[in-house]
Amino acid sequence: MKSGTDARTARPDIYPEWLKINAVTDRDGNVRHYLGIFSDIGDHGQTGQDVERFAFYDALTGLPNRTLLHERLKHGLMRSKRDGKMVGVFYLDLDGFKTLNDTKGHQAGDLLLQQAAERLKQVVRPSDTVARLGGDEFTVVLCELEDEETAMQTARRVAGDILGALRRPFHIHGHEIISGGSIGIALFPRDGSTCSELAKHADIAMYQAKEDGGQKYAFFAPEMNHQLERRVSLENQLRHALGRNELSLAFQPVVDARQGRVAGVEALMRWDGFDGSISPLEFIPILENLGLGAEVARWTLGRPAMPCATGHSPVPKSCGWP
């Protein structure tokens, strides 16, 4: 949280200051305490407008920040409720941003965010809001939509325009960078009546778009809540699966079709979780997203190998081989 405030020193004079509060969490993500940092901005010739800019706008892109977004969305919902209109809330995440940061550096990542912000502003109407939440996450708010059919059509058109704009190559430090985005969409009042409900549902829809392969948009649907709850449950259980000895390896032969012999074996990971056997297609991507891939790889290499004579064992007759 950031804000501009006035402070009083030991002397009676009052000076403007910048207050930044960060939450300090433990390894499990629980907030343990807060750290506040005060900065005296009185000596830098800051005006009231400067303080307002720092408080309500993102320093990197110049877009409204989370605080101003909340205020605009709140007032937009009040007007739409009064006038019987709808509001569209988009959550947008840039695809491949972390890879760019890791390979080209944070300066290249910052330039990508700035260029992406400019493209987003060019797509929407002046009366709409484009905001940066932090990292590579943006929000778009479309206000004054007449009815549900119009809202759906407008949302599809704007989402398509955004995805098209983000697919165009970005030119950064002499390199052509291909990015893209995933968008989740929630509509007021259909998908929620408050800022927090709409934000939550747009966020859920965005992750559904990413799960479906990215580079697309998805409208929120109630069943997505159940999918998210299952994913969160799987994440929590997977964190403890190794310690509980729930993961195992299954081996299947790799056959040399020309020789009719077993040329090797491949190891397949299995998880007998809290509600039975869970498909690797479901839990392996979650393992990777949790950053547990290296730990599981070490566990796999430490398991005793299946006794086999690769390259020398004929395929058993029971396999149906002639």
Side-chain angles (χ1 to χ4, degrees):
M1 180 179 72
K2 303 175 182 178
S3 68
T5 64
D6 288 334
R8 188 182 298 274
T9 63
R11 300 177 304 175
D13 56 318
I14 296 176
Y15 65 92
E17 67 179 13
W18 182 249
L19 169 62
K20 180 178 181 180
I21 300 177
N22 290 324
V24 180
T25 61
D26 58 22
R27 292 182 178 179
D28 297 324
N30 300 313
V31 176
R32 308 303 300 178
H33 55 274
Y34 294 89
L35 176 65
I37 301 175
F38 294 88
S39 301
D40 180 3
I41 58 176
D43 294 334
H44 300 286
Q46 301 288 354
T47 65
Q49 290 180 339
D50 293 326
V51 173
E52 181 179 356
R53 186 177 72 253
F54 287 138
F56 297 112
Y57 290 88
D58 176 56
L60 178 65
T61 63
L63 295 176
N65 62 14
R66 189 184 297 268
T67 301
L68 183 55
L69 168 68
H70 180 80
E71 289 300 312
R72 289 188 179 179
L73 180 56
K74 182 173 66 174
H75 287 103
L77 295 182
M78 291 173 59
R79 289 195 306 270
S80 295
K81 185 176 182 179
R82 180 193 64 203
D83 299 336
K85 295 185 178 181
M86 301 190 72
V87 175
V89 178
F90 291 26
Y91 260 43
L92 164 67
D93 183 280
L94 297 181
D95 294 334
F97 178 75
K98 184 179 184 301
T99 301
L100 174 66
N101 256 352
D102 293 342
T103 57
K104 302 296 184 182
H106 291 286
Q107 187 178 14
D110 288 347
L111 289 174
L112 176 63
L113 292 173
Q114 290 171 336
Q115 293 182 26
E118 289 301 317
R119 294 186 186 185
L120 292 176
K121 288 192 294 185
Q122 293 171 6
V123 168
V124 303
R125 303 170 300 180
S127 58
D128 298 326
T129 295
V130 179
R132 182 184 175 217
L133 299 180
D136 62 335
E137 294 185 344
F138 297 85
T139 296
V140 176
V141 177
L142 309 179
C143 293
E144 302 294 319
L145 303 176
E146 291 296 332
D147 51 44
E148 184 165 341
E149 182 179 357
T150 302
M152 295 283 286
Q153 292 175 350
T154 302
R156 289 192 183 99
R157 176 182 57 78
V158 174
D161 290 345
I162 289 174
L163 293 177
L166 295 177
R167 288 191 189 106
R168 299 200 312 269
F170 293 87
H171 297 280
I172 297 174
H173 293 161
H175 297 281
E176 189 175 89
I177 305 298
I178 304 299
S179 184
S182 300
I183 302 173
I185 306 171
L187 299 177
F188 166 87
R190 187 189 72 178
D191 300 323
S193 58
T194 66
C195 296
S196 58
E197 285 179 338
L198 292 167
K200 174 185 175 183
H201 291 162
D203 194 28
I204 290 173
M206 181 190 72
Y207 277 100
Q208 184 62 53
K210 293 182 79 70
E211 287 288 316
D212 292 340
Q215 302 280 350
K216 61 182 63 177
Y217 63 84
F219 284 91
F220 173 77
E223 57 267 23
M224 291 180 183
N225 268 324
H226 302 298
Q227 296 169 0
L228 178 64
E229 289 172 1
R230 174 171 174 79
R231 182 182 179 86
V232 170
S233 179
L234 289 177
E235 287 180 352
N236 291 334
Q237 295 294 324
L238 268 175
R239 295 180 191 276
H240 307 288
L242 282 177
R244 295 172 180 169
N245 202 31
E246 294 176 350
L247 297 180
S248 61
L249 296 177
F251 297 90
Q252 69 179 18
V254 177
V255 176
D256 184 334
R258 290 175 298 180
Q259 300 294 326
R261 293 181 177 275
V262 176
V265 294
E266 64 175 340
L268 306 175
M269 184 166 291
R270 296 290 182 259
W271 179 27
D272 291 321
F274 60 100
D275 61 350
S277 181
I278 299 167
S279 169
L281 294 177
E282 185 174 15
F283 75 80
I284 293 296
I286 298 177
L287 275 177
E288 294 172 347
N289 288 336
L290 290 174
L292 298 175
E295 182 180 351
V296 172
R298 288 192 296 270
W299 172 85
T300 302
L301 293 174
R303 308 301 292 173
M306 172 187 172
C308 61
T310 60
H312 302 287
S313 303
V315 178
K317 294 292 185 181
S318 60
C319 293
W321 197 268

